[in-house]
Amino acid sequence: MSNIVGITMGDPAGVGPEIIVKSLSEMSAADRAATRVFGNLAQLEAARAILGIELDLRDIVEDVPVDGAPLPWGKLSAVSGDASFRFIDLAVKSAMAGKIGCIVTAPINKEALNSAGHHYDGHTGMLTALTGSKSAFMLLASERLKVIHVSTHVSLKDAIGRAKPERILATIRAGNEHLKRIGYENPRIAVAGINPHCGENGLFGTEDDEHIAPAVAEARAEGIDVQGPISADTVFHRAYQGGFDLVIAQYHDQGHIPIKLVAFDTAVNVSVGLPIDRTSVDHGTAFDIAGTGKAKHVNMNAAIAYARKLIAGKNANV
């Protein structure tokens, strides 16, 4: 199994090139040799020049041509959106072929992506399609709080409609298996309720009783250590204090808000349930500061470290 981490450059006009160059410059020689960047060399060289970093990128970068590169920083365009898709497509092909062990993605811009004709809701949907998978789950991981989502980039109305027993059970199973992969022998899982106070016995809605509770009961019958539904206004605090290893969030903001409150710079976005491994920074393209050298690479370092952990675990089980 390959020990190579493949980093996709993200939107060329965003902060991806800068944070990648910063992370590469701080790696040991051994780690740099086990890293490939799927991106555009000219854009990365432009970032390197801005940062004043001396680093030979030629042997690290799988160079993908981009018309007009280096592109101007901070400018949304279909050209950059198409480039970001092609970087990811090449990395997925490499991962599926076993040439790299895990993909780490720098941020893309969804508007640029869609303006180029690539109609995805983000990385997770794109990776699901490119790998021929039925579905995937977004897990946000920090040291003291980990959250996996039943749904992500859909409206709140649609998210409530998707919170059905089958999907909730699948999310519990996926989260349980992932935590076992990273060293939790018997993960303790909590499932957040979807209504205030879990519906208060139907007073504020019946979804918790009719959809979430049956999924939890089925998961427990399978031997998974899971509790719920638990009111969302307390469950994340309980997990952060050590009461649970993982929280199942019912929709995007329910899970993202607590993670970004406690681990804004260090939380890692992980795709779970795909035939390949993928981690990501948990921030956007930051067009407003792209090309200034101000972007922090703490989150990129965390995503790379998590990727190496997944590769090590996978190789240990071969």
Side-chain angles (χ1 to χ4, degrees):
M1 194 69 66
S2 175
N3 70 333
I4 303 293
V5 170
I7 306 174
T8 58
M9 197 178 78
D11 192 297
V15 296
E18 296 167 65
I19 60 176
I20 289 170
V21 169
K22 286 182 178 181
S23 292
L24 288 170
S25 71
E26 294 178 356
M27 287 181 189
S28 66
D31 280 349
R32 201 177 299 132
T35 305
R36 296 290 181 274
V37 178
F38 295 83
N40 177 261
L41 183 58
Q43 199 78 32
L44 288 158
E45 289 285 10
R48 186 188 61 76
I50 288 167
L51 297 167
I53 291 173
E54 293 294 327
L55 181 65
D56 189 349
L57 296 169
R58 289 171 296 180
D59 292 337
I60 306 172
V61 179
E62 297 282 345
D63 189 22
V64 179
V66 176
D67 289 341
L71 300 178
W73 302 107
K75 301 294 184 183
L76 188 149
S77 71
V79 172
S80 62
D82 181 63
S84 64
F85 171 80
R86 289 188 290 123
F87 303 152
I88 295 160
D89 186 43
L90 182 57
V92 168
K93 287 182 171 69
S94 295
M96 295 288 280
K99 296 178 181 178
I100 59 175
C102 184
I103 298 173
V104 177
T105 56
I108 59 174
N109 182 282
K110 296 179 185 67
E111 185 178 349
L113 182 72
N114 280 268
S115 71
H118 304 295
H119 300 298
Y120 301 102
D121 62 356
H123 273 116
T124 305
M126 191 191 317
L127 291 165
T128 302
L130 291 175
T131 58
S133 304
K134 290 184 178 180
S135 65
F137 303 89
M138 180 187 291
L139 185 146
L140 300 181
S142 67
E143 185 176 350
R144 291 179 60 179
L145 182 62
K146 294 176 177 62
V147 179
I148 189 170
H149 299 71
V150 174
S151 67
T152 50
H153 295 131
V154 296
S155 71
L156 184 55
K157 180 179 179 180
D158 287 345
I160 294 169
R162 291 190 185 194
K164 293 293 192 284
E166 298 79 12
R167 177 68 180 180
I168 296 166
L169 178 58
T171 310
I172 296 169
R173 289 170 174 161
N176 186 60
E177 288 304 312
H178 182 79
L179 260 63
K180 285 184 174 181
R181 276 193 62 193
I182 60 173
Y184 291 81
E185 186 174 341
N186 188 32
R188 300 166 301 154
I189 301 173
V191 181
I194 199 165
N195 292 308
H197 306 293
C198 298
E200 202 79 76
N201 294 318
L203 186 62
F204 307 137
T206 59
E207 290 84 1
D208 293 271
D209 294 332
E210 294 176 356
H211 298 159
I212 300 176
V216 172
E218 176 63 26
R220 289 182 65 83
E222 294 177 4
I224 298 174
D225 184 358
V226 58
Q227 298 180 38
I230 300 173
S231 184
D233 61 4
T234 61
V235 69
F236 296 99
H237 174 74
R238 290 173 62 181
Y240 186 73
Q241 294 299 320
F244 301 104
D245 302 312
L246 178 70
V247 179
I248 310 295
Q250 299 300 326
Y251 54 91
H252 183 283
D253 283 10
Q254 187 184 64
H256 277 60
I257 290 171
I259 278 281
K260 293 198 173 186
L261 179 64
V262 302
F264 189 82
D265 288 327
T266 56
V268 176
N269 184 329
V270 186
S271 292
V272 177
L274 297 174
I276 61 174
D277 285 325
R278 173 257 180 172
T279 69
S280 179
V281 296
D282 191 32
H283 62 74
T285 49
F287 281 162
D288 57 326
I289 61 169
T292 67
K294 295 179 181 178
K296 297 178 181 179
H297 60 299
V298 176
N299 206 198
M300 175 57 76
N301 284 344
I304 294 169
Y306 203 102
R308 296 206 193 280
K309 181 192 297 186
L310 289 175
I311 290 172
K314 186 160 49 180
N315 288 342
N317 292 323
V318 172

